[in-house]
Amino acid sequence: SIGGQTFEVLLDTGSSDLWVASSNCTIQDCAKVPTFDTSDTVNLTLSGAAFHLGYLLGSVTGMIATDTVTLGSYEVSSQVLALANSTSGLDLSGTGYSGILGLTFPAEASIPGTYGQTFIDNVFASLDENDRFFAYKLGRNNSDSSFTIGQLDPTYANSSSNFTYIPVSSAGLSNGNYNFWKVPLEYITINSTRFDLSRSSVSGASTNIGILDTGTTLLLGPSADVARFWQSVGNARNTDSGWQVRCNRAAIVGFVLGDGDDQKEFVLDPTDVNWEPGTQQDGWCMGGIQANDGVFSGDWLLGDTFLRVGVLIIKLHNVYAAHHAATDSSPPKIGLLGLTDPTAALAQFRAVRGDDSTAPAEVHSRAPRSFTGADVCGIAVVCGFVFGVILSHLLHIWLAPRGRKRSKY
Ligand SMILES: *[C@@H]1O[C@H](CO)[C@@H](O)[C@H](O)[C@H]1NC(C)=O
Ligand SMILES: *[C@@H]1O[C@H](CO)[C@@H](O)[C@H](O)[C@H]1NC(C)=O
Ligand SMILES: *[C@@H]1O[C@H](CO)[C@@H](O)[C@H](O)[C@H]1NC(C)=O
């Protein structure tokens, strides 16, 4: 809640700012969601400074303010946030949320640090060093999802001992700086066969870099690798609305994350690789992995399609290291607990989608070529979230002929 008023916001690991649509927002998109009433709160202070966050598609404009913000049992009495006067291209009415709560590093914040810290940093400041983490599980429905701060959800894990920890990568940044929740992505597997990736477009990176982004619906990678991926899976085609695959095509796809000795494979449910029988058109389904050459700061955006593999703990041990002398001992890190059982997931997929008697996957080895990643997103452009919006539009087009509701978003 903000100033005692309750909202639903998108929890976005691909951006840093907290903003909510205000009652001054009179555009149609704001009319369909609860908005913040500036006259119905006692602690509000308006800074008078403008806020603008530009997206690849769409934007949000408003004013920087502070008010009391609570989330679960945590309360921050003077939290900086933005009150949005206007949004465009964000489809609030379609998704039902009134704003976004960003959960990545302050380096990506549009609200200057001089106005105050991000919400998650303020909460972390009140916790013991070892409890400075948030954990989440993205389910297929509300009853199978979870978000906690400072403690694990016992439904999914009682201790962090089974998690694989991956230090956050600062590739492309000067040493010790962090912007997104980036992890080394070594290679992909398709039905247990290794699928190598083209060279990273991130300067100085020795592996591909994946950005963990809850604000992105699908998994996005460089177009050349994604094309080779679908050619390897087979029974796939590229269309105006992205890659499609025959709905009964089952592929067990793994992402191998981490550096050196700490590599671990995380396996996707075939249902996340080959999306939703309900969205099919003449037996073609939407691919859960799509091409995008505009990924900023990394090579792959590991969106919800990937993040459903299990439970994640995101720890900010020394997020303040850039501002304070080295008082803390370890870099930020991400703990991943894979929950997908490939055998059970495949059986379930087959039961729903039916058998596929065509030729098995034939993994295409890497064609040597130099990679050119276009940095179409500039500084402070939150690409992760934007891609989510683009793909939700894309999915909308895809769903429209079937007249289905976009209940997922
Ligand atoms: C937002 O709307 C309020 C009230 O109409 C106005 O005072 C303020 O200047 C606007 N801010 C921006 C940045 O447009
Ligand atoms: C965690 O502990 C509780 C209480 O003992 C138990 O009910 C729950 O199943 C445990 N969770 C896991 C993931 O093992
Ligand atoms: C992948 O392996 C599974 C299990 O053997 C099989 O059912 C499926 O058809 C394979 N998929 C492809 C694309 O080869």
Side-chain angles (χ1 to χ4, degrees), residues 365-381:
S365 62
R366 177 161 47 134
R369 102 187 75 81
S370 65
F371 179 76
T372 50
D375 251 13
V376 300
C377 307
I379 303 297
V381 170

Side-chain angles (χ1 to χ4, degrees), residues 3-27:
Q5 303 168 40
T6 305
F7 304 98
E8 291 199 344
V9 293
L10 180 91
L11 300 174
D12 183 19
T13 62
S15 67
S16 307
D17 299 291
L18 169 63
W19 63 263
V20 66
S22 92
S23 46
N24 291 329
C25 179
T26 52
I27 64 161

Side-chain angles (χ1 to χ4, degrees), residues 241-303:
S241 39
W243 282 95
Q244 299 177 353
V245 57
R246 297 300 294 177
C247 294
N248 63 359
R249 193 66 164 165
I252 307 294
V253 175
F255 277 68
V256 178
L257 304 183
D259 249 337
D261 293 342
D262 294 329
Q263 288 176 19
K264 189 161 154 72
E265 180 176 8
F266 296 92
V267 177
L268 273 55
D269 189 314
T271 309
D272 286 323
V273 178
N274 184 333
W275 258 46
E276 295 272 318
T279 65
Q280 69 171 279
Q281 295 174 329
D282 305 325
W284 290 96
C285 279
M286 185 179 203
I289 298 180
Q290 296 290 339
N292 195 300
D293 291 318
V295 177
F296 174 60
S297 285
D299 302 290
W300 288 73
L301 273 183
L302 308 179

